[in-house]
Amino acid sequence: MLEIRHLVKQYKNYRAVNDLSFTIKPGEIVGLLGPNGAGKTTALRCVAGILRPSEGNVLINGYDIVTDQAKAKAGLAFVPEVPSLYELLTVEEHLKFVAMCFNTMDVFEQKKEELLGRYNLLEKRNELVATLSKGMKQKLSVACALIHNANVILFDEPLIGVDPAGAHELKQEIRRTKDAGGSILISTHLLDTAENLCDRVIILNRGTKMVEGTLAELRQYSGMENSSLEDVFLKLTEEGHEAAAVSHS
Amino acid sequence: MKPLLFLTARTFVNGIRRAVTNPRRLIGLIMALAWLGRYIFFPFRGERVQDFSRANAGRATELISSMDAVRIMDALVFTFFAFITLFLALGSLNTRTSFRPADVDVLFPTPVEPKLVLVFRIFRDYLVTLLAPLFFIVVGYRPAAAGVTSLKRVLEDPSAISQTMRLASIAWFLVALSWVCINYAASLFMNRSDLASDRNKRIFGWSMATIIVSVFGFIYWQATQFDGWRDAVNLAESPVLRTIFFTATLAAWIVHGIVQGEALPTIAGLAGLLGIIVISIRIAMTQAGWMYDQAAVRGFDSINARKLQQSGDTIGLMVEQARRGKLKARRTRWIARINAPGGWALLWREAIIMLRSTLPVIILFSLMTMGLSLIPLFAERKGSAEVAGGLFILFQAFGAFIMSSAIAQAGFIEMLRRVDVQKPLPFSFSNQVLFEIMAKALLAIIISWVCSILMVVAKPALWQFALATMIAMPFLSVLLCGVTCLMTILFPDYDDPTQRGFRGLMNLVGIVASCSPGVVIFILLTAIHLSPIISALIVSLVNMGVIALVSMIAGNQYAQFNPSE
């Protein structure tokens, strides 16, 4: 379970994330939408423990990401938009390194074979990461996120740069994780992906949450009953609505 | 700790394996090892070392006879540590949170404690720092050994020197650790995003600069009043230097105390250094929670900049600075107003980028070339006008060469990087390449013309040589840039240090080969005392032919260039 309470990230005179609060329950997929520079990646990086929140709390399975970092991160996985990987490790070594960091070497061998097969990385297992294509690196990044049994998974633009087969497999994986009780947060520009995949969406604009809810709730809120998420999104971001009037109970 | 050790070990082993399985990288590795081996096994040769040894022996005898040997040894130890301290202290200005992008994406989201990562990095940096004196030892081993031999000859107890050196080595372990810890504590504290980090860094940077300038000023002022080596020893005992270089003082106390059998200085030195280490580690640990934040926000900026510096990618460096908001867009309205149709637009673009990105380099280069142009004026006093004029042309050619090898190369790398934008432009590939070459040569041409005009103003009698320069230099500059362009397209991997080195070598070979016809003809024409203007015209015609050939080859190569390969 992921719980974010009044999260703020301040850079000198610029507030990248402003008083963001939401909860993702087990078995739920939430999409984080917003125009460029809305603060989606910063919010995700704060949740992942990469950036330190200026104010507020991020609780992962009840553990605070700042004060109880190791326990909080034990159940967390993060897939960045453009993964930067250790280029001088082989694919297999990379997976092993992540497994060692999460202290899950007991199930590593079995999990590794499963993931290498699922993401067509078997032939590349002994190749250096530096030699992989962009799409392959993205697949390896996803495999690294799944090597330990995380129940909170953060995806930053997960379908960018992945081929159709890979994208299909990734969507399946996300659904499998959801069915297994995982809490999933997806930051994306692809509105149709959010529409098809997410149970709820949160629209961020200039660091502030504008609206949160299911697609039906968003339509109702924007007064566009039969419109697509794209139309709703454009209307809401253009109008610059104030923070969440629609609450998810 | 296990995952971090695994990562370091595998990265190292795979890096070596990768280097030896790729022939191009292997050549680079062998050359680097050979260079290192040459310095380790044959650091200095010849008689100079022997002379140095004899000269030192005389001075050392003179010094020992007038001063207590213990004071001399203490001063030597302090000076050694003060010298190294200066380098180590400068490290505190660097950002110690320079992580790789992969660390941010892969390592940071894992449950590995930041404090553990910090300890690992301190340990790793400590090992690297311990090796730092190796550089000085490799370079200065023979002269230092000669000095030590001289001292041994004149000291009553020569074994004290060996003992001092052993103890200094042990003290070095503590001094190195203390500075690694100080640097981490200072860097982590100063770069915290929640504090006024920019202001803190400015204050710290200026304080360091003030201290360093003051120390050098103080040493210089004292040195002007030196009356022999005795005063140098007195300077090393100065309370000012002993306070500023406090870690060197503590290290000297440890060595001095043990050699003299005095417990107090040894205990004070040990306690001082250990205290600094403990306090610094404690401060660094309290800041560890901010380490990931700093690294993610700005940490690997410096790594990118260093990579670009190493690859000689000055344009990329400027782009990186612009991205970080450190490069302001200079207004170039007068150029922006110019209408440059077709391929001339490439020249127009180059002029704007050059003024915006490399203005300091342009100013420096212009001043350097103009300074060189003054040399023939002095030469004319002693020799003939022909010699002065010839030297002027030679220096202008040298300026054009520097320009082509420094600025133009970075420009051509940028050209290849933007190949997807540029190739679809509506010109033939040969034309694109030719305009690119002309654009890169533009600055050298303008500078040579300005210098020629200045030369005519300063020495009207040399007008023929100035005019000859104005005729010949544009073609020579374009030719030099053309060869550089061709070599950059042939060896385009700017990330590969081996290829970079090889490209530099081939560039030199290419320049020699392409300029030889013009140079030979110019020498022959000068030998028969033909007018320099006629010679310049003939040489320019020859160079024009070579330019056409080089542009054609470069154009063909550019057409086949695929950035994905």
Side-chain angles (χ1 to χ4, degrees), chain A residues 103-134:
Chain A
N103 211 9
T104 54
M105 285 304 287
D106 46 339
V107 290
F108 170 67
E109 286 301 326
Q110 179 206 335
K111 200 82 173 143
K112 175 189 77 182
E113 295 302 322
E114 186 189 324
L115 289 168
L116 288 175
R118 197 185 296 168
Y119 289 101
N120 299 322
L121 288 164
L122 278 169
E123 285 176 14
K124 301 276 182 184
R125 65 197 302 161
N126 293 319
E127 302 274 327
L128 290 181
V129 172
T131 63
L132 299 184
S133 68
K134 195 177 161 189

PDB file of all heavy atoms in Angstrom, chain A residues 103-134:
ATOM      1  N   ASN A 103      18.300  -8.235  -1.103  1.00  0.00           N
ATOM      2  CA  ASN A 103      18.501  -9.400  -0.257  1.00  0.00           C
ATOM      3  C   ASN A 103      17.508 -10.523  -0.572  1.00  0.00           C
ATOM      4  O   ASN A 103      16.905 -11.100   0.323  1.00  0.00           O
ATOM      5  CB  ASN A 103      18.370  -8.973   1.217  1.00  0.00           C
ATOM      6  CG  ASN A 103      19.241  -9.810   2.107  1.00  0.00           C
ATOM      7  OD1 ASN A 103      20.060 -10.585   1.620  1.00  0.00           O
ATOM      8  ND2 ASN A 103      19.048  -9.688   3.411  1.00  0.00           N
ATOM      9  N   THR A 104      17.343 -10.796  -1.875  1.00  0.00           N
ATOM     10  CA  THR A 104      16.403 -11.856  -2.273  1.00  0.00           C
ATOM     11  C   THR A 104      17.112 -12.919  -3.106  1.00  0.00           C
ATOM     12  O   THR A 104      16.563 -13.434  -4.075  1.00  0.00           O
ATOM     13  CB  THR A 104      15.231 -11.269  -3.098  1.00  0.00           C
ATOM     14  OG1 THR A 104      15.781 -10.527  -4.192  1.00  0.00           O
ATOM     15  CG2 THR A 104      14.345 -10.374  -2.272  1.00  0.00           C
ATOM     16  N   MET A 105      18.336 -13.234  -2.699  1.00  0.00           N
ATOM     17  CA  MET A 105      19.118 -14.192  -3.469  1.00  0.00           C
ATOM     18  C   MET A 105      18.552 -15.608  -3.383  1.00  0.00           C
ATOM     19  O   MET A 105      18.848 -16.450  -4.228  1.00  0.00           O
ATOM     20  CB  MET A 105      20.574 -14.175  -2.998  1.00  0.00           C
ATOM     21  CG  MET A 105      21.353 -12.972  -3.476  1.00  0.00           C
ATOM     22  SD  MET A 105      21.335 -12.771  -5.261  1.00  0.00           S
ATOM     23  CE  MET A 105      22.418 -14.086  -5.765  1.00  0.00           C
ATOM     24  N   ASP A 106      17.747 -15.890  -2.375  1.00  0.00           N
ATOM     25  CA  ASP A 106      17.197 -17.242  -2.208  1.00  0.00           C
ATOM     26  C   ASP A 106      16.269 -17.624  -3.374  1.00  0.00           C
ATOM     27  O   ASP A 106      16.197 -18.788  -3.758  1.00  0.00           O
ATOM     28  CB  ASP A 106      16.457 -17.352  -0.861  1.00  0.00           C
ATOM     29  CG  ASP A 106      15.532 -16.183  -0.604  1.00  0.00           C
ATOM     30  OD1 ASP A 106      15.737 -15.122  -1.232  1.00  0.00           O
ATOM     31  OD2 ASP A 106      14.611 -16.321   0.208  1.00  0.00           O
ATOM     32  N   VAL A 107      15.597 -16.636  -3.949  1.00  0.00           N
ATOM     33  CA  VAL A 107      14.695 -16.959  -5.063  1.00  0.00           C
ATOM     34  C   VAL A 107      15.231 -16.429  -6.393  1.00  0.00           C
ATOM     35  O   VAL A 107      14.542 -16.467  -7.409  1.00  0.00           O
ATOM     36  CB  VAL A 107      13.274 -16.384  -4.815  1.00  0.00           C
ATOM     37  CG1 VAL A 107      12.579 -17.114  -3.692  1.00  0.00           C
ATOM     38  CG2 VAL A 107      13.330 -14.896  -4.534  1.00  0.00           C
ATOM     39  N   PHE A 108      16.484 -15.952  -6.348  1.00  0.00           N
ATOM     40  CA  PHE A 108      17.030 -15.274  -7.525  1.00  0.00           C
ATOM     41  C   PHE A 108      17.069 -16.161  -8.769  1.00  0.00           C
ATOM     42  O   PHE A 108      16.605 -15.778  -9.838  1.00  0.00           O
ATOM     43  CB  PHE A 108      18.425 -14.719  -7.200  1.00  0.00           C
ATOM     44  CG  PHE A 108      19.170 -14.217  -8.397  1.00  0.00           C
ATOM     45  CD1 PHE A 108      18.739 -13.094  -9.084  1.00  0.00           C
ATOM     46  CD2 PHE A 108      20.295 -14.877  -8.872  1.00  0.00           C
ATOM     47  CE1 PHE A 108      19.414 -12.628 -10.200  1.00  0.00           C
ATOM     48  CE2 PHE A 108      20.979 -14.421  -9.980  1.00  0.00           C
ATOM     49  CZ  PHE A 108      20.532 -13.297 -10.648  1.00  0.00           C
ATOM     50  N   GLU A 109      17.653 -17.366  -8.634  1.00  0.00           N
ATOM     51  CA  GLU A 109      17.856 -18.234  -9.799  1.00  0.00           C
ATOM     52  C   GLU A 109      16.542 -18.494 -10.538  1.00  0.00           C
ATOM     53  O   GLU A 109      16.452 -18.345 -11.746  1.00  0.00           O
ATOM     54  CB  GLU A 109      18.500 -19.559  -9.360  1.00  0.00           C
ATOM     55  CG  GLU A 109      19.975 -19.443  -9.007  1.00  0.00           C
ATOM     56  CD  GLU A 109      20.849 -18.932 -10.149  1.00  0.00           C
ATOM     57  OE1 GLU A 109      20.551 -19.240 -11.316  1.00  0.00           O
ATOM     58  OE2 GLU A 109      21.812 -18.200  -9.868  1.00  0.00           O
ATOM     59  N   GLN A 110      15.539 -18.841  -9.776  1.00  0.00           N
ATOM     60  CA  GLN A 110      14.238 -19.175 -10.371  1.00  0.00           C
ATOM     61  C   GLN A 110      13.608 -17.927 -11.011  1.00  0.00           C
ATOM     62  O   GLN A 110      13.146 -17.945 -12.149  1.00  0.00           O
ATOM     63  CB  GLN A 110      13.344 -19.732  -9.270  1.00  0.00           C
ATOM     64  CG  GLN A 110      11.957 -20.107  -9.731  1.00  0.00           C
ATOM     65  CD  GLN A 110      10.962 -20.044  -8.583  1.00  0.00           C
ATOM     66  OE1 GLN A 110      11.330 -20.173  -7.409  1.00  0.00           O
ATOM     67  NE2 GLN A 110       9.704 -19.843  -8.921  1.00  0.00           N
ATOM     68  N   LYS A 111      13.649 -16.843 -10.275  1.00  0.00           N
ATOM     69  CA  LYS A 111      13.043 -15.593 -10.735  1.00  0.00           C
ATOM     70  C   LYS A 111      13.771 -15.062 -11.977  1.00  0.00           C
ATOM     71  O   LYS A 111      13.158 -14.561 -12.919  1.00  0.00           O
ATOM     72  CB  LYS A 111      13.131 -14.591  -9.574  1.00  0.00           C
ATOM     73  CG  LYS A 111      12.202 -13.450  -9.646  1.00  0.00           C
ATOM     74  CD  LYS A 111      10.812 -13.782  -9.145  1.00  0.00           C
ATOM     75  CE  LYS A 111       9.991 -12.505  -9.112  1.00  0.00           C
ATOM     76  NZ  LYS A 111       8.627 -12.714  -9.482  1.00  0.00           N
ATOM     77  N   LYS A 112      15.094 -15.195 -11.951  1.00  0.00           N
ATOM     78  CA  LYS A 112      15.913 -14.700 -13.054  1.00  0.00           C
ATOM     79  C   LYS A 112      15.535 -15.401 -14.366  1.00  0.00           C
ATOM     80  O   LYS A 112      15.271 -14.754 -15.380  1.00  0.00           O
ATOM     81  CB  LYS A 112      17.395 -14.969 -12.733  1.00  0.00           C
ATOM     82  CG  LYS A 112      18.364 -14.610 -13.829  1.00  0.00           C
ATOM     83  CD  LYS A 112      19.751 -15.113 -13.501  1.00  0.00           C
ATOM     84  CE  LYS A 112      19.864 -16.612 -13.736  1.00  0.00           C
ATOM     85  NZ  LYS A 112      21.172 -17.177 -13.392  1.00  0.00           N
ATOM     86  N   GLU A 113      15.485 -16.760 -14.333  1.00  0.00           N
ATOM     87  CA  GLU A 113      15.155 -17.521 -15.525  1.00  0.00           C
ATOM     88  C   GLU A 113      13.772 -17.131 -16.047  1.00  0.00           C
ATOM     89  O   GLU A 113      13.574 -16.960 -17.246  1.00  0.00           O
ATOM     90  CB  GLU A 113      15.203 -19.034 -15.223  1.00  0.00           C
ATOM     91  CG  GLU A 113      16.580 -19.558 -14.875  1.00  0.00           C
ATOM     92  CD  GLU A 113      17.614 -19.312 -15.973  1.00  0.00           C
ATOM     93  OE1 GLU A 113      17.269 -19.425 -17.163  1.00  0.00           O
ATOM     94  OE2 GLU A 113      18.773 -18.979 -15.627  1.00  0.00           O
ATOM     95  N   GLU A 114      12.858 -16.973 -15.115  1.00  0.00           N
ATOM     96  CA  GLU A 114      11.484 -16.617 -15.467  1.00  0.00           C
ATOM     97  C   GLU A 114      11.433 -15.257 -16.185  1.00  0.00           C
ATOM     98  O   GLU A 114      10.823 -15.116 -17.250  1.00  0.00           O
ATOM     99  CB  GLU A 114      10.679 -16.566 -14.162  1.00  0.00           C
ATOM    100  CG  GLU A 114       9.205 -16.352 -14.311  1.00  0.00           C
ATOM    101  CD  GLU A 114       8.571 -16.092 -12.933  1.00  0.00           C
ATOM    102  OE1 GLU A 114       9.019 -16.691 -11.940  1.00  0.00           O
ATOM    103  OE2 GLU A 114       7.650 -15.260 -12.887  1.00  0.00           O
ATOM    104  N   LEU A 115      12.140 -14.274 -15.620  1.00  0.00           N
ATOM    105  CA  LEU A 115      12.096 -12.919 -16.185  1.00  0.00           C
ATOM    106  C   LEU A 115      12.881 -12.820 -17.491  1.00  0.00           C
ATOM    107  O   LEU A 115      12.446 -12.152 -18.431  1.00  0.00           O
ATOM    108  CB  LEU A 115      12.639 -11.907 -15.175  1.00  0.00           C
ATOM    109  CG  LEU A 115      11.737 -11.648 -13.977  1.00  0.00           C
ATOM    110  CD1 LEU A 115      12.467 -10.865 -12.894  1.00  0.00           C
ATOM    111  CD2 LEU A 115      10.489 -10.880 -14.406  1.00  0.00           C
ATOM    112  N   LEU A 116      14.037 -13.505 -17.545  1.00  0.00           N
ATOM    113  CA  LEU A 116      14.828 -13.475 -18.777  1.00  0.00           C
ATOM    114  C   LEU A 116      14.020 -14.060 -19.928  1.00  0.00           C
ATOM    115  O   LEU A 116      14.049 -13.547 -21.046  1.00  0.00           O
ATOM    116  CB  LEU A 116      16.139 -14.249 -18.606  1.00  0.00           C
ATOM    117  CG  LEU A 116      17.211 -13.611 -17.721  1.00  0.00           C
ATOM    118  CD1 LEU A 116      18.407 -14.545 -17.556  1.00  0.00           C
ATOM    119  CD2 LEU A 116      17.687 -12.280 -18.294  1.00  0.00           C
ATOM    120  N   GLY A 117      13.303 -15.136 -19.634  1.00  0.00           N
ATOM    121  CA  GLY A 117      12.469 -15.763 -20.658  1.00  0.00           C
ATOM    122  C   GLY A 117      11.302 -14.864 -21.041  1.00  0.00           C
ATOM    123  O   GLY A 117      11.027 -14.667 -22.227  1.00  0.00           O
ATOM    124  N   ARG A 118      10.656 -14.312 -20.045  1.00  0.00           N
ATOM    125  CA  ARG A 118       9.462 -13.507 -20.304  1.00  0.00           C
ATOM    126  C   ARG A 118       9.784 -12.262 -21.129  1.00  0.00           C
ATOM    127  O   ARG A 118       9.002 -11.826 -21.955  1.00  0.00           O
ATOM    128  CB  ARG A 118       8.851 -13.096 -18.965  1.00  0.00           C
ATOM    129  CG  ARG A 118       7.417 -12.613 -19.104  1.00  0.00           C
ATOM    130  CD  ARG A 118       6.894 -12.094 -17.789  1.00  0.00           C
ATOM    131  NE  ARG A 118       6.812 -13.124 -16.755  1.00  0.00           N
ATOM    132  CZ  ARG A 118       6.610 -12.851 -15.463  1.00  0.00           C
ATOM    133  NH1 ARG A 118       6.497 -11.606 -15.059  1.00  0.00           N
ATOM    134  NH2 ARG A 118       6.542 -13.823 -14.577  1.00  0.00           N
ATOM    135  N   TYR A 119      10.969 -11.681 -20.909  1.00  0.00           N
ATOM    136  CA  TYR A 119      11.319 -10.449 -21.627  1.00  0.00           C
ATOM    137  C   TYR A 119      12.342 -10.680 -22.751  1.00  0.00           C
ATOM    138  O   TYR A 119      13.022  -9.728 -23.177  1.00  0.00           O
ATOM    139  CB  TYR A 119      11.829  -9.395 -20.628  1.00  0.00           C
ATOM    140  CG  TYR A 119      10.700  -8.882 -19.774  1.00  0.00           C
ATOM    141  CD1 TYR A 119      10.504  -9.343 -18.487  1.00  0.00           C
ATOM    142  CD2 TYR A 119       9.785  -7.980 -20.291  1.00  0.00           C
ATOM    143  CE1 TYR A 119       9.438  -8.911 -17.727  1.00  0.00           C
ATOM    144  CE2 TYR A 119       8.710  -7.545 -19.538  1.00  0.00           C
ATOM    145  CZ  TYR A 119       8.547  -8.011 -18.260  1.00  0.00           C
ATOM    146  OH  TYR A 119       7.480  -7.583 -17.520  1.00  0.00           O
ATOM    147  N   ASN A 120      12.412 -11.918 -23.250  1.00  0.00           N
ATOM    148  CA  ASN A 120      13.293 -12.260 -24.380  1.00  0.00           C
ATOM    149  C   ASN A 120      14.738 -11.809 -24.165  1.00  0.00           C
ATOM    150  O   ASN A 120      15.378 -11.275 -25.071  1.00  0.00           O
ATOM    151  CB  ASN A 120      12.765 -11.624 -25.684  1.00  0.00           C
ATOM    152  CG  ASN A 120      11.392 -12.125 -26.021  1.00  0.00           C
ATOM    153  OD1 ASN A 120      11.086 -13.303 -25.824  1.00  0.00           O
ATOM    154  ND2 ASN A 120      10.536 -11.233 -26.494  1.00  0.00           N
ATOM    155  N   LEU A 121      15.225 -12.005 -22.966  1.00  0.00           N
ATOM    156  CA  LEU A 121      16.591 -11.575 -22.671  1.00  0.00           C
ATOM    157  C   LEU A 121      17.535 -12.774 -22.509  1.00  0.00           C
ATOM    158  O   LEU A 121      18.710 -12.595 -22.184  1.00  0.00           O
ATOM    159  CB  LEU A 121      16.618 -10.734 -21.384  1.00  0.00           C
ATOM    160  CG  LEU A 121      16.010  -9.331 -21.484  1.00  0.00           C
ATOM    161  CD1 LEU A 121      15.745  -8.751 -20.106  1.00  0.00           C
ATOM    162  CD2 LEU A 121      16.899  -8.396 -22.275  1.00  0.00           C
ATOM    163  N   LEU A 122      17.006 -13.978 -22.760  1.00  0.00           N
ATOM    164  CA  LEU A 122      17.819 -15.181 -22.530  1.00  0.00           C
ATOM    165  C   LEU A 122      19.105 -15.175 -23.359  1.00  0.00           C
ATOM    166  O   LEU A 122      20.175 -15.507 -22.863  1.00  0.00           O
ATOM    167  CB  LEU A 122      16.998 -16.437 -22.837  1.00  0.00           C
ATOM    168  CG  LEU A 122      16.075 -16.894 -21.699  1.00  0.00           C
ATOM    169  CD1 LEU A 122      15.108 -17.957 -22.183  1.00  0.00           C
ATOM    170  CD2 LEU A 122      16.864 -17.394 -20.505  1.00  0.00           C
ATOM    171  N   GLU A 123      18.958 -14.785 -24.625  1.00  0.00           N
ATOM    172  CA  GLU A 123      20.137 -14.790 -25.510  1.00  0.00           C
ATOM    173  C   GLU A 123      21.144 -13.714 -25.131  1.00  0.00           C
ATOM    174  O   GLU A 123      22.308 -13.785 -25.488  1.00  0.00           O
ATOM    175  CB  GLU A 123      19.707 -14.563 -26.964  1.00  0.00           C
ATOM    176  CG  GLU A 123      19.070 -15.788 -27.576  1.00  0.00           C
ATOM    177  CD  GLU A 123      18.570 -15.512 -28.979  1.00  0.00           C
ATOM    178  OE1 GLU A 123      18.938 -14.480 -29.556  1.00  0.00           O
ATOM    179  OE2 GLU A 123      17.792 -16.340 -29.476  1.00  0.00           O
ATOM    180  N   LYS A 124      20.664 -12.704 -24.437  1.00  0.00           N
ATOM    181  CA  LYS A 124      21.533 -11.558 -24.109  1.00  0.00           C
ATOM    182  C   LYS A 124      22.071 -11.653 -22.683  1.00  0.00           C
ATOM    183  O   LYS A 124      22.711 -10.707 -22.211  1.00  0.00           O
ATOM    184  CB  LYS A 124      20.738 -10.250 -24.250  1.00  0.00           C
ATOM    185  CG  LYS A 124      20.159 -10.011 -25.619  1.00  0.00           C
ATOM    186  CD  LYS A 124      21.190  -9.378 -26.519  1.00  0.00           C
ATOM    187  CE  LYS A 124      20.608  -9.095 -27.883  1.00  0.00           C
ATOM    188  NZ  LYS A 124      21.605  -8.573 -28.812  1.00  0.00           N
ATOM    189  N   ARG A 125      21.814 -12.742 -22.006  1.00  0.00           N
ATOM    190  CA  ARG A 125      22.111 -12.811 -20.577  1.00  0.00           C
ATOM    191  C   ARG A 125      23.574 -12.539 -20.248  1.00  0.00           C
ATOM    192  O   ARG A 125      23.877 -11.975 -19.201  1.00  0.00           O
ATOM    193  CB  ARG A 125      21.667 -14.156 -19.992  1.00  0.00           C
ATOM    194  CG  ARG A 125      22.427 -15.353 -20.553  1.00  0.00           C
ATOM    195  CD  ARG A 125      21.713 -16.653 -20.276  1.00  0.00           C
ATOM    196  NE  ARG A 125      21.507 -16.857 -18.850  1.00  0.00           N
ATOM    197  CZ  ARG A 125      20.619 -17.706 -18.354  1.00  0.00           C
ATOM    198  NH1 ARG A 125      19.842 -18.421 -19.168  1.00  0.00           N
ATOM    199  NH2 ARG A 125      20.495 -17.874 -17.070  1.00  0.00           N
ATOM    200  N   ASN A 126      24.485 -12.929 -21.148  1.00  0.00           N
ATOM    201  CA  ASN A 126      25.907 -12.701 -20.865  1.00  0.00           C
ATOM    202  C   ASN A 126      26.495 -11.515 -21.619  1.00  0.00           C
ATOM    203  O   ASN A 126      27.713 -11.334 -21.669  1.00  0.00           O
ATOM    204  CB  ASN A 126      26.709 -13.965 -21.166  1.00  0.00           C
ATOM    205  CG  ASN A 126      26.349 -15.082 -20.204  1.00  0.00           C
ATOM    206  OD1 ASN A 126      26.185 -14.833 -19.001  1.00  0.00           O
ATOM    207  ND2 ASN A 126      26.172 -16.285 -20.707  1.00  0.00           N
ATOM    208  N   GLU A 127      25.607 -10.746 -22.236  1.00  0.00           N
ATOM    209  CA  GLU A 127      26.070  -9.550 -22.968  1.00  0.00           C
ATOM    210  C   GLU A 127      26.158  -8.365 -22.001  1.00  0.00           C
ATOM    211  O   GLU A 127      25.352  -8.269 -21.063  1.00  0.00           O
ATOM    212  CB  GLU A 127      25.070  -9.188 -24.069  1.00  0.00           C
ATOM    213  CG  GLU A 127      24.809 -10.280 -25.068  1.00  0.00           C
ATOM    214  CD  GLU A 127      25.825 -10.287 -26.189  1.00  0.00           C
ATOM    215  OE1 GLU A 127      26.288  -9.200 -26.543  1.00  0.00           O
ATOM    216  OE2 GLU A 127      26.144 -11.384 -26.677  1.00  0.00           O
ATOM    217  N   LEU A 128      27.088  -7.462 -22.273  1.00  0.00           N
ATOM    218  CA  LEU A 128      27.164  -6.248 -21.460  1.00  0.00           C
ATOM    219  C   LEU A 128      25.938  -5.378 -21.740  1.00  0.00           C
ATOM    220  O   LEU A 128      25.456  -5.320 -22.875  1.00  0.00           O
ATOM    221  CB  LEU A 128      28.422  -5.447 -21.793  1.00  0.00           C
ATOM    222  CG  LEU A 128      29.768  -6.022 -21.361  1.00  0.00           C
ATOM    223  CD1 LEU A 128      30.896  -5.070 -21.757  1.00  0.00           C
ATOM    224  CD2 LEU A 128      29.816  -6.253 -19.858  1.00  0.00           C
ATOM    225  N   VAL A 129      25.474  -4.680 -20.735  1.00  0.00           N
ATOM    226  CA  VAL A 129      24.308  -3.811 -20.897  1.00  0.00           C
ATOM    227  C   VAL A 129      24.576  -2.742 -21.961  1.00  0.00           C
ATOM    228  O   VAL A 129      23.675  -2.342 -22.701  1.00  0.00           O
ATOM    229  CB  VAL A 129      23.943  -3.159 -19.546  1.00  0.00           C
ATOM    230  CG1 VAL A 129      22.864  -2.109 -19.702  1.00  0.00           C
ATOM    231  CG2 VAL A 129      23.479  -4.223 -18.557  1.00  0.00           C
ATOM    232  N   ALA A 130      25.851  -2.345 -22.069  1.00  0.00           N
ATOM    233  CA  ALA A 130      26.227  -1.307 -23.042  1.00  0.00           C
ATOM    234  C   ALA A 130      25.864  -1.714 -24.468  1.00  0.00           C
ATOM    235  O   ALA A 130      25.652  -0.859 -25.325  1.00  0.00           O
ATOM    236  CB  ALA A 130      27.716  -1.030 -22.945  1.00  0.00           C
ATOM    237  N   THR A 131      25.795  -3.027 -24.714  1.00  0.00           N
ATOM    238  CA  THR A 131      25.544  -3.481 -26.085  1.00  0.00           C
ATOM    239  C   THR A 131      24.051  -3.614 -26.399  1.00  0.00           C
ATOM    240  O   THR A 131      23.683  -3.911 -27.527  1.00  0.00           O
ATOM    241  CB  THR A 131      26.217  -4.850 -26.334  1.00  0.00           C
ATOM    242  OG1 THR A 131      25.606  -5.808 -25.438  1.00  0.00           O
ATOM    243  CG2 THR A 131      27.709  -4.812 -26.078  1.00  0.00           C
ATOM    244  N   LEU A 132      23.193  -3.411 -25.407  1.00  0.00           N
ATOM    245  CA  LEU A 132      21.752  -3.597 -25.630  1.00  0.00           C
ATOM    246  C   LEU A 132      21.130  -2.398 -26.343  1.00  0.00           C
ATOM    247  O   LEU A 132      21.603  -1.272 -26.215  1.00  0.00           O
ATOM    248  CB  LEU A 132      21.023  -3.784 -24.297  1.00  0.00           C
ATOM    249  CG  LEU A 132      21.396  -4.973 -23.418  1.00  0.00           C
ATOM    250  CD1 LEU A 132      20.489  -5.015 -22.194  1.00  0.00           C
ATOM    251  CD2 LEU A 132      21.301  -6.283 -24.186  1.00  0.00           C
ATOM    252  N   SER A 133      20.039  -2.673 -27.066  1.00  0.00           N
ATOM    253  CA  SER A 133      19.293  -1.586 -27.702  1.00  0.00           C
ATOM    254  C   SER A 133      18.468  -0.866 -26.627  1.00  0.00           C
ATOM    255  O   SER A 133      18.334  -1.348 -25.494  1.00  0.00           O
ATOM    256  CB  SER A 133      18.376  -2.141 -28.770  1.00  0.00           C
ATOM    257  OG  SER A 133      17.362  -2.906 -28.152  1.00  0.00           O
ATOM    258  N   LYS A 134      17.900   0.275 -27.023  1.00  0.00           N
ATOM    259  CA  LYS A 134      17.121   1.075 -26.077  1.00  0.00           C
ATOM    260  C   LYS A 134      15.933   0.272 -25.514  1.00  0.00           C
ATOM    261  O   LYS A 134      15.675   0.270 -24.312  1.00  0.00           O
ATOM    262  CB  LYS A 134      16.608   2.320 -26.815  1.00  0.00           C
ATOM    263  CG  LYS A 134      16.093   3.407 -25.943  1.00  0.00           C
ATOM    264  CD  LYS A 134      15.702   4.588 -26.822  1.00  0.00           C
ATOM    265  CE  LYS A 134      14.768   5.532 -26.080  1.00  0.00           C
ATOM    266  NZ  LYS A 134      14.209   6.554 -26.977  1.00  0.00           N
TER     267      LYS A 134
END
